[in-house]
Amino acid sequence: MFVLVNLKAYPCDPVAVAEAAADVAAETDTTIAVAPQAADLAAVAETGATTYAQDVSPVEHGSHTGSTLAERAAANGATGTLLNHSECRRKLADIDAGLDAAERADLDTVVCANNPEQIAAAAALGPDAVAVEPPELIGTGTPVSQADPDIVEDAVAAAEAVDPSVDVYCGAGISTGDDLEAAGDLGATGVLLASGVAKADDPRAALEDLVAPLA
Amino acid sequence: MFVLVNLKAYPCDPVAVAEAAADVAAETDTTIAVAPQAADLAAVAETGATTYAQDVSPVEHGSHTGSTLAERAAANGATGTLLNHSECRRKLADIDAGLDAAERADLDTVVCANNPEQIAAAAALGPDAVAVEPPELIGTGTPVSQADPDIVEDAVAAAEAVDPSVDVYCGAGISTGDDLEAAGDLGATGVLLASGVAKADDPRAALEDLVAPLA
Amino acid sequence: MFVLVNLKAYPCDPVAVAEAAADVAAETDTTIAVAPQAADLAAVAETGATTYAQDVSPVEHGSHTGSTLAERAAANGATGTLLNHSECRRKLADIDAGLDAAERADLDTVVCANNPEQIAAAAALGPDAVAVEPPELIGTGTPVSQADPDIVEDAVAAAEAVDPSVDVYCGAGISTGDDLEAAGDLGATGVLLASGVAKADDPRAALEDLVAPLA
Amino acid sequence: MFVLVNLKAYPCDPVAVAEAAADVAAETDTTIAVAPQAADLAAVAETGATTYAQDVSPVEHGSHTGSTLAERAAANGATGTLLNHSECRRKLADIDAGLDAAERADLDTVVCANNPEQIAAAAALGPDAVAVEPPELIGTGTPVSQADPDIVEDAVAAAEAVDPSVDVYCGAGISTGDDLEAAGDLGATGVLLASGVAKADDPRAALEDLVAPLA
C-alpha cells in the first residue's frame, strides 16, 4: 500500500512529519511519501522519507520564472510528484507536458482527478498512478470510501479499462486505519491524505494508526 | 464529412462567411459549421449555417461574469461547440464540466488536443468528437495530413481504443480539397480549418475548392 | 448617476431586463447600462438600452479562439465594458491590454477592484471608471455603503490621488434607492448591481425603486 | 545599486552562481541577490548570498497544494521575492495578495511590469520596488537602457508620481557594466538580469564585469 501525505501550505514542521513518516514506513511494509512545499524538498528528503513534489511545471530548462522544474525537484531529493491536484488543477496539455517533465527527471507520477471519467482521461496520459479525490470531500474527515464507495470502484474500473498498468489511489477524508483498509477493499492500492496527518497534534501517532492494518 | 471553419478573432465578415458556408453545404453532402465570436453567434445562425461556439464555460447558470454560458450560446443559435482549442486550452476538470454544460444545452461537442495521448484522454470524457491539431502546424498552410500523417492515424486508433463512438477530426494547415481527402484517407471524418477560409480573399471559392472531392 | 446591471450567467431574460432598463433610464436622468452574456449583446442593444460587455479579451484581431474581441462586442452594439470583475479577474498586464483593446473599439471602460490599493492601481492604467466591490459582500444583499462605507470613501480618495478624471463607482449588495443614495453620499458617481435586478421577480419595479432618488 | 540575478529554470549550478554573487557583492558596495528555483532556496541561502524567491503565492497557511508559501520561502533563507515577472504574470488581486503574503513573511518585494502605466499601477500596491522590463527585450542582449531609454525614465517618473518611496529597477537585455551604468543614469537604482550571468561560461567574471563601474 502506498500512502502520500500532502503537507499543502499547512503550518506544520515538514521535517518532523517526514521523520515520523520515515520511521513508521520502516516499521511496516508501506511506502509513506511526504509532499512538502518545494522549498522544503531538500530538508524532507534528508530525513530519509520518500519525498514527492506537490506539482511540477510543464516545462523544460529555459526561461520560466516561478516554475517548479522537475529536474530541480529531483536534484533536491524528490522521487515523485503529484500533478493536477484539485487545488492545483492543470490544463490537459500541461498535465501531459508535466508527465513528460517528470519522466525526464525520473520522478514517479500521481495524477489526481475528480471522478471516473477524468480518471480514465488521466490514465490515458500514461502516469504511474492516478488518484480519485472528489473535491467536495477533501478536508471533511468523511472518507471517500464511506461517503461514496462507488466512485472508487468506478475509478478503478475506468483506469483498468484504459491502461491496467496504472495504479489507482484514492483520497479525500482519509485519516484512520479503517479508512485505509476500506480503500484497499474497493480496489485502491494507495491513499492520499493531508490534514489527517499534517494537522494532527501527533503526526507520528496519526501515521501509526493509519498503517496499523498493514502491520 | 464534417467541416468546421473557426473564425477566431479574424477581421472577416462572419455573416458573409456563414452565407457561403450555408450555400456550399447545401450543394454538397457536407456539414459546414462556422464558429464565430460569441457576440456573432445569432447573426451567423440567422444565415442558416450550422453554427458552433468557439468555447463554452464550465459553468451552470449563476454568478459567472465574463463566462460563455452554453445555454445562451444555444439560445442564440449554436448547435455545437469547440472545447480546449490550442488557443483556448482548458483544465482537465473544466473540459469535463464544459462537456456537461454543452450536454445540458444540447450542443454537439468537439474537444481539441495536440497528440494521440491527449486525444485518448479527451475521448475518455465522452464528447461527440475529438480533433487532433498539432500546435506547431496551426496556421502554417502545411496540412497535418502531409506533415505528420502518423499523428492522424495514431489519433484515430487512440480514440477508437477508448471509445469507438467518438468521431475523430483533424486540423492544422488544412485548406484544399486534397488536404480534406488526405484527412479522410487517414481515418478522419472531419476537418477543422480557420485561416484557409476566414482569411481567404474569396471564402466561398475556398470552401468550394475544399469540398470539391465530396461533390 | 451611472447604473450598471450585470446579468452574469443568470437565467433571466436579457431582452426583458434591457427593455425595462431603457424605459426607466428614459424616465429619469440616469444612464442604466445592461451587461449581458456576449452572445446576447446584439439583442440587448436592439432594445435601445445602453449595452456593456462583461469583459473583453486583451487581444487584437488574430488567432485567438474563444476570445471576446472588443471590436465584435462594439459591432454588436456594446458601448462599454467591465474589466477585471471579481468573477473574471485578469492579470495586471491583461487589464492594461484590455483597456487598449476597448479604446481601439471605442468602448467605455469600468475596471473593478477589491480595495482602495487595487483601485489606485486600476486608476493608474487610465480607464474611464473604476468600481470598488469587496468580494465578500457580492450577492449578500448587504450594501457596501452600509457594511463598509470607509472602503468607498477610501477608494474615491485613492483614485482621485492617482487620476482625478477617473470616475469611481461602487458595487456589492446594492439593490435599493437608499443604497444608491448612500453610494452617492460617499462620493461614488455610479453603482454596479446584479442579482438585485437580474434575479428580481419584477426587474422593472426593482429598477424604478433603485433610481427613485434620482427622479 | 541593487542587482538581481534571476536563475529562472536555467540548467546552471545555483550554488556556484550564488557563491560568485556573495563574493563579488562583498568586494563592492552592491547587493547582489540570486533568485533560484524554490527547491534551491536553502542551498543558495547557505552560501551567504542574498536570496530571493522568483515568486510567492497569494495565499496564507492552508489548503493550497502546489503553492509557494512566502513563510516557507523565508524559512529557507529568502529575504525577498519577485512578483509578476513577465514569465509569471499574476492577476492584479493576486499581486496585491502576494505583497500581503511577503509582508507577513518579512520579504522585500520587487513587482515587475511592462511599461510605465503598469509600473504606476504596481507602485500603487505598495511594494518595496518595481522593475520595468519590456517583454520584447528580455533575453535579447540588447539592454533596455539602450533600446528604449524613455521607458526607463518614464517608469521612474510614473512610480515617483504615485509613491516616491518605491525604488525603480530596470531589466531586459542587461549584461555589462555599461548597461548597469546607463540604467543608473536613467534613474534606476537597481537592475534585473538573468541569462547574462546564469548562462555565462564564467558567471563570476560576468558579475565582476557588471559591477565594475561600482567598484
Side-chain angles (χ1 to χ4, degrees):
Chain A
M1 202 81 176
F2 174 87
V3 173
L4 186 140
V5 180
N6 180 358
L7 302 188
K8 300 188 176 184
Y10 292 138
C12 62
D13 177 347
V15 169
V17 175
E19 287 172 345
D23 291 350
V24 176
E27 293 157 14
T28 55
D29 189 22
T30 319
T31 298
I32 306 181
V34 175
Q37 290 271 313
D40 291 314
L41 283 169
V44 162
E46 273 164 33
T47 66
T50 302
T51 304
Y52 266 54
Q54 293 180 10
D55 183 60
V56 295
S57 300
V59 299
E60 305 184 25
H61 278 121
S63 295
H64 308 291
T65 299
S67 58
T68 299
L69 186 68
E71 284 84 347
R72 295 314 301 167
N76 283 283
T79 58
T81 187
L82 292 175
L83 283 168
N84 196 45
H85 187 275
S86 71
E87 294 158 7
C88 192
R89 281 176 173 164
R90 295 293 176 195
K91 297 174 182 178
L92 172 59
D94 287 345
I95 302 173
D96 192 25
L99 287 168
D100 291 343
E103 188 175 1
R104 283 195 309 271
D106 204 22
L107 298 175
D108 292 332
T109 49
V110 180
V111 178
C112 301
N114 297 349
N115 57 39
E117 292 74 32
Q118 292 174 31
I119 284 290
L125 300 172
D128 295 298
V130 292
V132 61
E133 291 200 297
E136 64 277 16
L137 296 179
I138 293 180
T140 58
T142 303
V144 59
S145 47
Q146 182 181 308
D148 195 354
D150 288 355
I151 209 174
V152 180
E153 291 187 311
D154 292 350
V156 170
E160 169 86 17
V162 170
D163 183 347
S165 75
V166 175
D167 284 317
V168 181
Y169 306 154
C170 76
I174 305 270
S175 59
T176 70
D178 284 353
D179 301 342
L180 181 142
E181 239 178 345
D185 290 345
L186 295 167
T189 58
V191 294
L192 272 59
L193 70 167
S195 56
V197 169
K199 297 172 90 169
D201 289 334
D202 184 344
R204 183 178 302 256
L207 280 169
E208 284 171 345
D209 175 50
L210 183 77
V211 302
L214 305 174
Chain B
M1 203 79 175
F2 175 87
V3 173
L4 186 140
V5 180
N6 180 359
L7 303 187
K8 300 188 177 185
Y10 292 137
C12 61
D13 177 347
V15 169
V17 176
E19 287 171 343
D23 291 350
V24 176
E27 294 158 12
T28 56
D29 188 22
T30 318
T31 298
I32 305 181
V34 176
Q37 290 270 312
D40 291 315
L41 283 168
V44 163
E46 274 164 31
T47 67
T50 302
T51 304
Y52 266 53
Q54 294 181 9
D55 183 59
V56 295
S57 300
V59 300
E60 304 185 23
H61 278 121
S63 296
H64 308 292
T65 298
S67 58
T68 300
L69 186 69
E71 284 84 347
R72 295 315 301 168
N76 283 282
T79 59
T81 187
L82 292 176
L83 284 169
N84 196 44
H85 188 275
S86 71
E87 295 158 7
C88 192
R89 281 177 173 165
R90 295 294 178 197
K91 296 175 183 178
L92 172 60
D94 287 346
I95 301 172
D96 192 25
L99 287 168
D100 291 344
E103 187 176 0
R104 281 196 310 272
D106 205 22
L107 299 175
D108 292 332
T109 49
V110 180
V111 178
C112 302
N114 298 349
N115 57 39
E117 292 74 31
Q118 292 175 31
I119 284 290
L125 300 173
D128 295 299
V130 291
V132 61
E133 291 199 297
E136 65 276 15
L137 297 179
I138 292 180
T140 58
T142 303
V144 59
S145 47
Q146 182 181 310
D148 195 354
D150 287 354
I151 209 173
V152 180
E153 291 187 310
D154 292 350
V156 170
E160 169 86 16
V162 170
D163 183 347
S165 74
V166 174
D167 285 318
V168 181
Y169 306 154
C170 75
I174 305 271
S175 58
T176 70
D178 285 353
D179 301 341
L180 181 142
E181 237 176 349
D185 291 344
L186 295 167
T189 58
V191 294
L192 271 58
L193 70 167
S195 54
V197 169
K199 297 171 89 167
D201 288 335
D202 183 343
R204 182 178 303 256
L207 281 169
E208 283 170 344
D209 175 50
L210 182 80
V211 302
L214 306 174
Chain C
M1 202 79 175
F2 174 86
V3 173
L4 186 139
V5 180
N6 180 358
L7 303 187
K8 300 188 176 184
Y10 292 138
C12 62
D13 177 347
V15 169
V17 175
E19 287 171 344
D23 291 350
V24 175
E27 293 158 12
T28 55
D29 188 22
T30 318
T31 298
I32 305 181
V34 175
Q37 290 271 311
D40 291 315
L41 283 169
V44 163
E46 273 163 34
T47 67
T50 302
T51 303
Y52 266 52
Q54 293 180 10
D55 184 59
V56 295
S57 299
V59 300
E60 305 185 22
H61 277 120
S63 295
H64 308 291
T65 298
S67 58
T68 299
L69 186 69
E71 284 84 347
R72 296 313 303 167
N76 283 283
T79 58
T81 188
L82 290 176
L83 284 169
N84 196 45
H85 187 275
S86 70
E87 293 158 8
C88 192
R89 281 177 175 164
R90 294 294 178 195
K91 296 175 184 178
L92 172 60
D94 287 345
I95 302 172
D96 192 25
L99 287 168
D100 290 345
E103 187 176 1
R104 281 195 310 272
D106 204 21
L107 298 175
D108 292 332
T109 49
V110 180
V111 178
C112 302
N114 297 349
N115 57 39
E117 292 73 32
Q118 292 176 31
I119 284 290
L125 300 173
D128 294 299
V130 291
V132 61
E133 290 200 298
E136 65 275 15
L137 297 179
I138 292 180
T140 58
T142 303
V144 59
S145 47
Q146 182 182 310
D148 195 354
D150 288 354
I151 209 174
V152 180
E153 291 187 310
D154 291 350
V156 170
E160 169 87 17
V162 170
D163 182 347
S165 74
V166 175
D167 284 316
V168 181
Y169 306 154
C170 75
I174 305 271
S175 59
T176 69
D178 285 352
D179 301 341
L180 182 142
E181 238 176 347
D185 291 344
L186 295 167
T189 58
V191 293
L192 270 58
L193 70 168
S195 55
V197 168
K199 298 172 88 169
D201 288 336
D202 184 343
R204 181 178 303 256
L207 281 169
E208 284 170 344
D209 175 50
L210 182 78
V211 303
L214 305 174
Chain D
M1 204 80 173
F2 174 87
V3 173
L4 187 139
V5 180
N6 180 358
L7 302 187
K8 301 188 174 183
Y10 292 137
C12 61
D13 177 347
V15 168
V17 175
E19 286 171 344
D23 291 350
V24 175
E27 293 158 12
T28 54
D29 188 22
T30 319
T31 298
I32 305 181
V34 175
Q37 289 271 312
D40 291 316
L41 283 169
V44 163
E46 272 164 33
T47 67
T50 302
T51 304
Y52 267 52
Q54 293 181 10
D55 184 57
V56 296
S57 300
V59 298
E60 305 184 24
H61 277 121
S63 295
H64 308 292
T65 298
S67 58
T68 299
L69 186 68
E71 284 83 347
R72 295 314 303 167
N76 282 282
T79 58
T81 187
L82 290 175
L83 283 169
N84 196 45
H85 188 276
S86 70
E87 294 157 8
C88 192
R89 281 176 175 165
R90 295 293 177 196
K91 297 176 183 178
L92 171 60
D94 287 345
I95 302 173
D96 192 25
L99 288 168
D100 290 345
E103 186 175 2
R104 281 195 311 271
D106 205 23
L107 298 175
D108 291 333
T109 49
V110 180
V111 179
C112 302
N114 296 350
N115 57 39
E117 291 73 32
Q118 291 176 31
I119 284 289
L125 300 173
D128 294 300
V130 291
V132 61
E133 290 199 296
E136 65 276 15
L137 297 179
I138 291 180
T140 57
T142 303
V144 59
S145 47
Q146 182 182 310
D148 195 354
D150 287 356
I151 209 174
V152 181
E153 291 187 310
D154 291 351
V156 170
E160 169 86 17
V162 170
D163 183 347
S165 74
V166 175
D167 284 317
V168 181
Y169 306 154
C170 76
I174 305 272
S175 58
T176 69
D178 285 353
D179 301 341
L180 181 141
E181 237 176 348
D185 291 344
L186 295 167
T189 58
V191 294
L192 270 60
L193 70 167
S195 55
V197 169
K199 298 173 88 169
D201 290 334
D202 185 343
R204 182 179 303 257
L207 280 169
E208 283 170 345
D209 176 49
L210 182 79
V211 302
L214 305 174

